[in-house]
Each structure stands twice: as structure tokens, then as C-alpha cells.
Amino acid sequence: MERSRRRHRSRGASTIFDVAALAGVSKSTVSNVLRGTGRVSDDTREIVLDAIERLDYRPNTLARQFVRQRTTILGVVVGDLENPFNASLAKLIERNAAGRGYSTMFCDVEGDDGHSLAGMRLLLDQRVAGIILLSHYGRSRDLEATLTAENLPVVFVSEREEWGDSVCIDESGGAVMAVEHLIETGHRDIAYLTIPVLERRTDSARYRGYKAALRKAKLPTRPPFRWDPASGTVRIGHERTQLRQILEDPRRPTAFFASNDLGAVDLLEACDSAGLRVPEDVSIVGFDNVSWAGLKRIGLTTVAQPFLDLAQIGVDLVLARVEGATSAPRHVTIPPELVVRSSTGAPPGIGKRLA
Amino acid sequence: MERSRRRHRSRGASTIFDVAALAGVSKSTVSNVLRGTGRVSDDTREIVLDAIERLDYRPNTLARQFVRQRTTILGVVVGDLENPFNASLAKLIERNAAGRGYSTMFCDVEGDDGHSLAGMRLLLDQRVAGIILLSHYGRSRDLEATLTAENLPVVFVSEREEWGDSVCIDESGGAVMAVEHLIETGHRDIAYLTIPVLERRTDSARYRGYKAALRKAKLPTRPPFRWDPASGTVRIGHERTQLRQILEDPRRPTAFFASNDLGAVDLLEACDSAGLRVPEDVSIVGFDNVSWAGLKRIGLTTVAQPFLDLAQIGVDLVLARVEGATSAPRHVTIPPELVVRSSTGAPPGIGKRLA
DNA sequence: CTGAAAGCGCTTACAG
DNA sequence: CTGAAAGCGCTTACAG
């Protein structure tokens, strides 16, 4: 009777009930076999597995997720999926998660907060098992409140916040590598140039590395050049000026360490249009090694983030917690790598001297 | 009694039961209010809505999806999420879907088929409401079988297959625009150059446009140059040669229409290293207008795909079907747009004549 | 217009 | 080791 009622289901996929009936056991036993709960005799297991195969049975994920009130979905919150840095990371995260049986649900929280929050709600309503945050641009307050309230595993990738796990490169160490490369190439006047999209904390760490490297070499540091490429304005301390003016000033730095590749390529273009040659007149180092940094026409020397490691460790961290770990937040730091290309070279003075 | 049993739930979120109790009505009525099923008196509705608000009740999505055996999740299958073309589209699709209350689940099916199929299984097991396919690189056979078996709404974005809805630009029309631009600039010997990643059908359409434009102008066409940038080999008909040789041959085409931007930028670099100036010696047009095509150092003239329209129409099409439409497959074509930058100019002969 | 009841396909104590 | 039963939080005919 129960059987006949059930048959008006649209899709004829078999259920745990069918398997139990065919195997001549109870649903509980089938369930135990399915979940590998040990207390099933080998004979019974055989019979059940056989029935499963004969019926081509696959457990209904929706039912399982419902009864467990937890899914095998990972939520990925990302500032801008189109940004090549995020796109590279997103892809690898998806691959890693899929390899471990988890689906990946994305939420692009760029732009206005209303949309972002609505998007986050969708993610939370779907009861994702955990959340991976990529460059969420710091609206961390609300997030923290919401996510800790839900008691959801959270990992920051390429970013660090104390209230969740995190994996990122040694940011200031990477900056040191960048600046030391410039110093070795002969530069003595190096500026740090940063753009608004960069997360504040990341920005400070990179600037810290910049200062450390110069101090170690007993060279002067400059305050950060805060550039808004859209308007062309640069803020240095309390002073405001145009990038153009800086570039046209003969006392300009001979090299720029840009806080990320997007800023670096914008600077590259600004140099081009100011008639400055890179690297003959100005050297530029970027940060991230986004996918187009290696285009020959760009040839950006940059600090590479090991995307594969970031993605893998990020997924590991969040899944460990999803699957039960309850340690204090773990913070993993991995080493960056300098990639030297054609945007750096000896400063003009040295160049002449050598010639 | 039922009440007390229920209270060992971990999260104290209120359920439809709580709302019903507080409002003094049945769960059915609450459900009717929630789903806007019309047969509820205004008074009752008021009371229920009030209770919902007081309890900060939000329906349990997992339960709803389970009982309906359908989710509000859209699956996006993509060849390579890191590819800037796909990344742009993916982002906009996510934004559009979220705006309409649907979450987006990604599956990157790049590379080996085993992983791809496993990824697809995850998507299907999650009972996504519909599927959006972006450049899935043609392993269409299995896909069609699987997806039609599941009777799932499917839309192809920037691609066309008869067995699902689709939205794409007028591919051959775009190619005509590209080639006519070259003709107008003075070129008489134009080649079509294509790379392996391009989907076959797209490739043919673009080549068709190439031929049409040249024939209309009564200019000679060439067979497609099939280039594999990895090896450097070009296949033209049955002949095999190296791109380098083609470029060094004085009888080389004065302009290349590359089948997409990735191929175009590779060609640009090949020209650079062969000592050919672009556009003085060789003109290049790409296709897609990926995010970095506009970098000044690249400056690729290209046929732009209107990403926003593609994403929006794609989501519209699949959701229409998700929400009940049952028409025959619909195929939407939208116009492309030529973006002229610095990679095209007059051919060498004309240049001299003008000088 | 409203409510009682069955059902979706699993998991999870609990008995035996 | 195995099974009967309750329960997860909704939706959906069906009666009234």
C-alpha cells in the first residue's frame, strides 16, 4: 500500500526503500551500509551492495542534506570574480572541492552592500557547510557577526582575519623580495605605490616589507603613494598631486613597487604615456602574478602567489572544520616567489655608468 | 509532547510550526501565506505575517527543496573558469541569478573527462533547477544524453546547440565586421588564423563570416590557418609549417583575423619576436574583447561580445523554463560590436604610398 | 477560507 | 548485527 502511493513520483529513480525491499533487509541496514557504519555483517553488506548496483541506486542528496541539516556545498564569497586573481583562485578552489566531493556555490559581493547581503543570505539559506572568503574587501564587521552566529566554518584565502582560519602568503616577506630585487638591480630611490582595491591589512603588510627591506639596506623610505587610477590623483601623506607630475619630476623614484599587479599595469601605462621607458627610465615590480602579467608586452616582474597551494590549503582548512575539527583558528603562511621579467632593470644612472 | 521532542535541535531557529502556534493557525495556513496561495483571508494573513516577523522566521530552504525535489540553484558548467572570457560571463551570470533569488553552483569541466563527469554528477545530485553551459568544448554527446534524461532546463551561452536554449552573438556577422574593417583599412590579403581551444562550431561560423566578407569585396580567401601556439605549428589544408616561417615570408598576409583574443595576443607576441611591427607591418583583429584586450600595451582591435546581454538573456531563458515554460528550444542571437584599437592600421604598401 | 493528515527519502537513537 | 519507529520541516491534496 505504501508502495503504491509512492509510485506517482515523477522520476522513477529508486529509493532506499526499493533497495531494502530487493535486498530483503530494513532501510536502516541499507543506510548503515551506505554510510559505512561498521555494524553490518559481510554477507548482508554483499546483498545490499548488490541490490544497490542492480537498481543503480544513488541516495537522494536533497533528503540526506535535509535530515542532516547540512549540505556538502562550500560557499565561496568573492569580491569580484572577473578579477584575474580571484578567477584563478576560484577555479582551483572549485577543482579541489569537487575532488573531495563538495560542490561550490559562488557569491560575488562586489559593489553595493544590499546586493552583497542578499547574496550572502542565499548562501546561508542553502546551509552551505562552510565558507571560503576571497578578497571580500573588508566589510568584515557584519560578516563576522552573521557567520559566527551561524557557527559556520570560515576560511580566508589570501587574506587574514583572526576570527577564522586563513591561508596566505608571507605578504611582507614577498614585499621584501620585491624591494631587495630592486636594490640588487641598483635602485636607491624606491617608492611604494598602492591602489584602492587592495585590502587594508594586505596593503599595510606589503608596505611594512617595503620599509623593512630599505631599512636593512640603509636606504631611505618614502611614505606610501596612494593612487587612484580613475582620477589620476596621488595622495602622499597629506599632500595631493597627479601621478603625471610625479613621473615628469626628474627627482622621481627610479623604481616603483606597486602593491598589486593591477596597479602595476596601470602605472606601466601611465609611464608609457608620459614617455618614460620601462625599465630604462623607471622600473616596476608588481604583486600577485595574475594571468596576464606574463604576456610579453606586459612582462611584469612580480611577486607570485602560489595559487594552487592557496586553494588547496584553503579547502583543507575549511573541510577539516566541516568534518569536525574544533581547534582554535589556524593561520597558515606560505612563501611567495619572485618572478623576474622585463619591467625591472638598472636605474638610469647605473645604466649610463655601465655604458 | 511533540514540542518537547523537537527541542533538542541544535540551532534554535523557529519553524513553520512555531509560527503556526504563535499565530494560532495551522501549518497549512502558514504555508499558504508564505507561498502566496490566494485562499487566505486578509485577517489571517495579517496575523501570520506578524508572527513570522516576531519570530524572525525564515523557511528552511533545505526542507522546501527536499519536499519539492527541486532547488533554487542554477548549475554553471564552464570549460575553464580562469579564462577571462568565461570569468566575465560567470560573474555576470552569478549576479543576475542572485538578483532573481537563485544561487549559482559552478563546475569547471576542464581537462580529463573523469573529473568532468564526477563534477557534473555533483551538480545533478544537488538537483540544480537548470544548467547554463559556457564553452564546454564540445563533449556534447554524453552531456545531451545525461541532461535530457534528467529532463533539466539547459541553456548554452555564447554557443549554440539545437537541443537546448541558447544565446550567442551573430558569430559570422561579427567576423564580417572584423574583416570589413581590415578591408576598409586597405588590406587585400587577409588570413583567418585559429587556435585549438575554440569550439568547432564557433570556429566554422567565424570562418564563414571571413569568407563572406572577402567574397563580397571580390578579394581572395585563404584556407584557415590552424595554429597550435604550444608547438608553433600551423596547418593550412594538408600543409604543415611553422608560424615563424609564415611571418618571415614577404608574401605573408598583411592582416590576420584571429578567431579569438587568446590567439590574437599569441600572434601579437609572435610578430613581436619575429621583428614585425603591429600594425605597421601586420594588422591583427581578435574576437571576444576579453578584459585585458584593452590594456594599452596590447591594444587589440576586436569583435566585442556583449557579456552583460549574454548573461542576462541566458539566465532569463533558463529560468523561464525552470518556472514552467515548455516551448521548443529558443535561440537568441544578439549583435556583436567592433572595437577598434591599435593593432590594426593600413597595410605596408598603402602606408608607403600615403607617406 | 482553514485544518488534519500524509508524504518527501533519508538518518538516528533505541530495542532486541 | 538488524529492524521498527520517530523525526527532519516543509508541501500538497483533500475534507470540511
Side-chain angles (χ1 to χ4, degrees):
Chain A
M1 217 259 284
E2 186 190 353
R3 202 73 193 73
S4 67
R5 279 235 194 75
R6 298 180 61 262
R7 266 313 164 201
H8 54 71
R9 283 181 308 130
S10 55
R11 45 171 66 215
S14 44
T15 72
I16 198 172
F17 182 96
D18 302 315
V19 176
L22 180 58
V25 299
S26 73
K27 295 185 299 178
S28 314
T29 301
V30 177
S31 180
N32 284 334
V33 170
L34 240 33
R35 291 172 303 123
T37 324
R39 2 159 184 195
V40 181
S41 75
D42 288 352
D43 286 0
T44 312
R45 188 194 319 282
E46 275 309 302
I47 296 171
V48 169
L49 288 176
D50 195 56
I52 286 175
E53 186 161 357
R54 294 246 298 277
L55 292 173
D56 188 27
Y57 167 72
R58 277 173 298 110
N60 184 315
T61 305
L62 255 34
R64 170 177 286 176
Q65 290 181 338
F66 164 58
V67 64
R68 289 205 183 144
Q69 284 302 305
R70 221 195 62 203
T71 60
T72 50
I73 305 174
L74 247 32
V76 177
V77 179
V78 51
D80 172 13
L81 194 51
E82 196 176 10
N83 173 314
F85 179 77
N86 292 331
S88 298
L89 235 28
K91 166 189 169 165
L92 294 169
I93 286 172
E94 190 277 340
R95 290 287 69 199
N96 262 283
R100 300 186 52 173
Y102 283 77
S103 301
T104 316
M105 194 171 270
F106 281 85
C107 178
D108 191 308
V109 294
E110 186 189 13
D112 91 285
D113 280 4
H115 282 193
S116 307
L117 281 202
M120 284 293 300
R121 268 266 64 89
L122 286 181
L123 228 51
L124 297 178
D125 283 349
Q126 291 288 349
R127 297 282 203 282
V128 292
I131 292 210
I132 298 181
L133 291 154
L134 305 183
S135 51
H136 64 293
Y137 301 172
R139 54 179 74 80
S140 185
R141 262 305 81 80
D142 325 344
L143 258 187
E144 178 172 1
T146 315
L147 294 181
T148 52
E150 304 267 347
N151 194 27
L152 224 48
V154 168
V155 62
F156 294 89
V157 171
S158 184
E159 213 167 326
R160 177 168 174 164
E161 294 275 348
E162 298 312 320
W163 56 277
D165 291 331
S166 75
V167 53
C168 56
I169 58 159
D170 176 358
E171 300 282 355
S172 65
V176 167
M177 294 170 71
V179 174
E180 287 188 338
H181 164 67
L182 290 170
I183 295 173
E184 281 163 19
T185 320
H187 294 273
R188 297 294 171 259
D189 186 1
I190 303 169
Y192 175 80
L193 178 130
T194 187
I195 58 174
V197 294
L198 205 64
E199 215 259 332
R200 178 171 210 81
R201 188 161 185 157
T202 308
D203 182 50
S204 332
R206 294 182 187 173
Y207 183 60
R208 210 179 320 124
Y210 158 85
K211 281 191 300 188
L214 288 176
R215 285 192 183 141
K216 191 174 160 206
K218 306 213 190 313
L219 291 172
T221 65
R222 288 174 177 260
F225 288 25
R226 305 200 168 278
W227 181 33
D228 177 18
S231 67
T233 309
V234 178
R235 189 162 61 71
I236 307 174
H238 292 296
E239 191 189 338
R240 280 173 182 283
T241 169
Q242 291 292 110
L243 182 67
R244 184 83 194 206
Q245 282 184 23
I246 295 176
L247 294 180
E248 284 172 351
D249 186 332
R251 296 160 307 174
R252 68 171 177 267
T254 62
F256 290 89
F257 168 43
S259 64
N260 74 1
D261 286 353
L262 269 56
V265 77
D266 281 343
L267 176 61
L268 191 63
E269 297 189 342
C271 289
D272 285 348
S273 47
L276 295 177
R277 294 162 305 162
V278 177
E280 291 83 354
D281 299 318
V282 173
S283 281
I284 300 176
V285 183
F287 207 110
D288 287 347
N289 196 28
V290 299
S291 53
W292 42 252
L295 290 177
K296 297 241 175 59
R297 288 249 178 140
I298 307 294
L300 200 58
T301 295
T302 190
V303 179
Q305 302 223 33
F307 294 114
L308 195 58
D309 295 337
L310 288 171
Q312 196 162 312
I313 296 172
V315 171
D316 281 352
L317 285 171
V318 76
L319 286 189
R321 224 170 265 285
V322 164
E323 287 160 5
T326 60
S327 59
R330 293 199 288 164
H331 300 285
V332 179
T333 304
I334 58 183
E337 205 171 314
L338 185 73
V339 180
V340 177
R341 298 202 183 91
S342 56
S343 68
T344 49
I350 304 276
K352 250 175 248 160
R353 214 176 301 155
L354 290 181
Chain B
M1 215 260 284
E2 184 189 353
R3 204 71 194 76
S4 67
R5 281 234 194 75
R6 298 181 61 263
R7 264 313 163 202
H8 53 72
R9 283 182 308 130
S10 56
R11 44 171 68 216
S14 43
T15 71
I16 198 172
F17 182 95
D18 303 313
V19 176
L22 180 59
V25 300
S26 72
K27 298 183 297 178
S28 314
T29 302
V30 176
S31 180
N32 284 334
V33 170
L34 242 33
R35 292 172 302 123
T37 326
R39 356 139 183 219
V40 180
S41 76
D42 289 351
D43 287 358
T44 312
R45 188 193 319 282
E46 276 307 304
I47 296 172
V48 170
L49 288 176
D50 196 54
I52 286 175
E53 186 161 355
R54 295 245 298 276
L55 292 173
D56 188 29
Y57 167 72
R58 278 173 298 108
N60 184 315
T61 305
L62 255 35
R64 172 177 285 175
Q65 291 182 338
F66 166 59
V67 63
R68 289 206 182 142
Q69 284 302 308
R70 221 194 63 202
T71 62
T72 51
I73 304 174
L74 248 32
V76 178
V77 179
V78 49
D80 172 13
L81 195 51
E82 196 174 10
N83 174 313
F85 179 77
N86 293 330
S88 298
L89 235 28
K91 166 189 168 164
L92 294 169
I93 286 172
E94 189 279 339
R95 290 286 71 198
N96 262 283
R100 300 186 54 173
Y102 283 77
S103 300
T104 317
M105 194 169 270
F106 282 86
C107 179
D108 189 309
V109 294
E110 185 189 16
D112 90 285
D113 279 5
H115 282 193
S116 306
L117 282 201
M120 284 294 299
R121 269 264 66 86
L122 285 181
L123 227 52
L124 298 178
D125 282 348
Q126 291 289 350
R127 297 283 204 282
V128 293
I131 293 211
I132 299 182
L133 291 154
L134 306 183
S135 52
H136 65 294
Y137 301 172
R139 55 179 75 78
S140 186
R141 264 302 84 78
D142 323 345
L143 259 186
E144 177 170 3
T146 315
L147 294 181
T148 52
E150 304 268 346
N151 195 26
L152 222 49
V154 168
V155 63
F156 294 87
V157 171
S158 185
E159 215 167 326
R160 179 171 173 162
E161 294 274 349
E162 299 312 321
W163 56 278
D165 290 332
S166 75
V167 54
C168 57
I169 57 160
D170 177 358
E171 300 283 354
S172 65
V176 168
M177 294 169 71
V179 174
E180 287 187 339
H181 164 66
L182 290 170
I183 295 172
E184 281 162 20
T185 320
H187 294 273
R188 297 294 170 260
D189 185 2
I190 302 169
Y192 175 79
L193 178 130
T194 186
I195 59 174
V197 295
L198 206 66
E199 216 258 332
R200 178 173 210 81
R201 188 160 182 157
T202 308
D203 181 51
S204 332
R206 294 182 188 173
Y207 184 61
R208 211 179 320 123
Y210 157 86
K211 281 190 300 189
L214 288 176
R215 285 194 182 140
K216 191 174 159 208
K218 305 212 192 313
L219 290 173
T221 64
R222 288 175 178 258
F225 288 26
R226 304 201 168 277
W227 181 33
D228 177 17
S231 67
T233 310
V234 178
R235 190 163 59 71
I236 306 172
H238 292 294
E239 189 189 340
R240 281 173 181 284
T241 169
Q242 291 292 110
L243 182 67
R244 183 83 194 205
Q245 283 185 22
I246 296 175
L247 294 180
E248 284 171 353
D249 187 331
R251 295 159 309 174
R252 67 170 178 268
T254 62
F256 289 90
F257 168 42
S259 63
N260 74 2
D261 285 353
L262 268 58
V265 76
D266 282 341
L267 176 62
L268 191 64
E269 297 189 342
C271 288
D272 284 348
S273 47
L276 295 178
R277 294 162 305 163
V278 176
E280 292 82 355
D281 299 317
V282 174
S283 282
I284 300 175
V285 184
F287 207 110
D288 287 348
N289 197 26
V290 299
S291 53
W292 42 253
L295 290 177
K296 298 239 175 62
R297 288 243 177 146
I298 308 295
L300 200 58
T301 295
T302 189
V303 179
Q305 302 222 34
F307 293 114
L308 195 58
D309 295 338
L310 287 171
Q312 196 162 311
I313 296 172
V315 171
D316 282 353
L317 286 171
V318 75
L319 286 189
R321 224 169 264 284
V322 163
E323 286 160 5
T326 59
S327 59
R330 293 199 289 164
H331 300 284
V332 179
T333 304
I334 58 183
E337 203 172 315
L338 185 73
V339 179
V340 178
R341 297 202 182 92
S342 56
S343 68
T344 47
I350 305 276
K352 250 174 251 160
R353 216 176 301 155
L354 291 181

